[in-house]
Amino acid sequence: AQKVTQAQTEISVVEKEDVTLDCVYETRDTTYYLFWYKQPPSGELVFLIRRNSFDEQNEISGRYSWNFQKSTSSFNFTITASQVVDSAVYFCALSEVSQGGSEKLVFGKGTKLTVNP
Amino acid sequence: EPEVTQTPSHQVTQMGQEVILRCVPISNHLYFYWYRQILGQKVEFLVSFYNNEISEKSEIFDDQFSVERPDGSNFTLKIRSTKLEDSAMYFCASKKLTGYSEAFFGQGTRLTVV
C-alpha cells in the first residue's frame, strides 16, 4: 500500500526565515501524483501543487518551491522568507489508483508550521 | 472561481442520531469523495463516487455510512447512527478527471457527537 511520511510533526520559525517541509513517499506504481495541501487554522484544505511522477523539474511559485527527487522518493516543500500567514498545517499526499481504477489521496500526518513575528 | 461548498459548517448531534452532511461539488466535475479528519490527525479517505455509484470505500466506511447524489448537484454523506468516535471534520472533494487533475476540497463540516 502507498504511504506518505512527514517526519516533522511541528516546526517553529521566526518570520523571514526559510523553512523546508519534508515528505517521503512509498509506492509501487510507476505513474503517480504528488500533492501538497495547506490547512490554515480555519480548517479548510487548500491545494498548493500537483506533480506527476514523470516530471522531476523543481517548481517555484512566488515564495514557495518544491523539490521532487524520485531517486529518494521525496517531495519537499520550501517556503522562502516565511510570513505569519504561512502558519498552518501542511499535508503531503500521494494519489493511489486501485485495481478497479478508482483513485484516492493518501495523506501524510501533516507538519504544523508556526511562523512567529 | 468555482468551489466545493459544504453545509453545515458545524453540526452537533446526539449519539445514535442520524446526520446528513451535504456537499455541492464543482459543476463539471465527475469524481466525488468524502474524507475524514479526526481532530489533530491526518486526513483519511472514506469513499469515492463516480457515475452514480461507489467506486471505492475504505474500512472506515461501514454499514453506518452511505452516500448519495440525489439530484445531480448535491452529494451527501449520511451516518445512520452516530457514535462518539464519528466526531471529526468531514471533507467533500471533487475532481474533473482522474489522474492528473487535482481534487478540490470543500471547507469541511465539523461533526461533534455528544
Side-chain angles (χ1 to χ4, degrees), chain A residues 33 35 37 39 43-45 47 50 91 98 101-105 107-109, chain B residues 33 35 37 42-43 45 48 55-56 91 95 98-103 105 107:
Chain A
Y33 299 88
F35 302 81
Y37 284 86
Q39 187 175 44
E44 71 273 26
L45 285 168
F47 166 78
R50 173 190 68 243
F91 290 96
S98 71
S102 72
E103 185 185 350
K104 64 178 188 261
L105 291 175
F107 284 83
K109 291 186 176 180
Chain B
Y33 306 83
Y35 287 81
Q37 184 185 30
K42 69 177 176 179
V43 180
F45 168 78
S48 59
S55 312
E56 186 180 355
F91 290 102
K95 61 190 297 183
T98 192
Y100 57 83
S101 66
E102 66 269 22
F105 283 80
Q107 79 280 20

Side-chain angles (χ1 to χ4, degrees), chain B residues 80-97:
Chain B
R80 257 179 276 283
S81 177
T82 49
K83 307 183 192 73
L84 293 176
E85 54 265 36
D86 293 328
S87 294
M89 181 79 99
Y90 289 81
F91 290 102
C92 173
S94 70
K95 61 190 297 183
K96 197 170 183 177
L97 299 165

Side-chain angles (χ1 to χ4, degrees), chain A residues 4-21:
Chain A
V4 175
T5 302
Q6 294 180 256
Q8 304 147 310
T9 308
E10 290 193 44
I11 300 175
S12 185
V13 299
V14 177
E15 213 171 12
K16 296 185 184 173
E17 281 185 33
D18 297 348
V19 58
T20 295
L21 310 181

